[in-house]
Amino acid sequence: MTKNIKFITFYDLEKENKHGFSSKAYPPTERTLVLREQIIPGAFGYPDMYIRHMKLRYDNRDYPIICMTDYELDEVKRLEILAGAVNFLGEAGV
């Protein structure tokens, strides 16, 4: 991981067993796909996927957080995600 983090992705998807944070260290281009906020209906045994956007101000920079979960985020979970993103950036040496 580098200090060039442009955005953070948070996953909490039970069926895919995907949990936690990741980041991309490259600048978005015209080929970069960022999903808009929405609920993607589940299919083939998968639950609905909730795409939500958050923003974190850390070390005088804004970091977009794209959240992909199989449940709606409540205020407590949003705060947990923000705290986790701060830890994630700290571990990355940002």
Side-chain angles (χ1 to χ4, degrees), residues 8 10 52-56 63-67 81-82 85:
I8 299 169
F10 172 77
R52 296 293 180 242
H53 297 176
M54 299 171 63
K55 185 169 41 172
L56 173 68
Y63 292 92
I65 303 172
I66 302 163
C67 302
I81 292 169
L82 291 172

Side-chain angles (χ1 to χ4, degrees), residues 2-18:
T2 69
K3 294 184 179 188
N4 295 329
I5 292 174
K6 301 296 181 188
F7 63 92
I8 299 169
T9 306
F10 172 77
Y11 300 96
D12 197 9
L13 303 167
E14 189 65 36
K15 189 157 181 131
E16 292 86 352
N17 196 28
K18 211 169 182 183

Side-chain angles (χ1 to χ4, degrees), residues 1-77:
M1 197 139 355
T2 69
K3 294 184 179 188
N4 295 329
I5 292 174
K6 301 296 181 188
F7 63 92
I8 299 169
T9 306
F10 172 77
Y11 300 96
D12 197 9
L13 303 167
E14 189 65 36
K15 189 157 181 131
E16 292 86 352
N17 196 28
K18 211 169 182 183
H19 309 280
F21 294 89
S22 67
S23 67
K24 301 298 181 194
Y26 58 85
T29 68
E30 68 277 351
R31 297 188 66 180
T32 303
L33 175 65
V34 177
L35 296 174
R36 65 181 168 84
E37 282 202 341
Q38 61 184 303
I39 300 171
I40 300 171
F44 306 107
Y46 286 87
D48 294 347
M49 181 185 295
Y50 295 80
I51 309 295
R52 296 293 180 242
H53 297 176
M54 299 171 63
K55 185 169 41 172
L56 173 68
R57 182 96 175 141
Y58 180 82
D59 198 27
N60 292 317
R61 288 188 56 203
D62 289 326
Y63 292 92
I65 303 172
I66 302 163
C67 302
M68 294 183 228
T69 62
D70 50 18
Y71 53 86
E72 186 62 74
L73 299 179
D74 62 15
E75 203 55 38
V76 171
K77 188 62 180 181

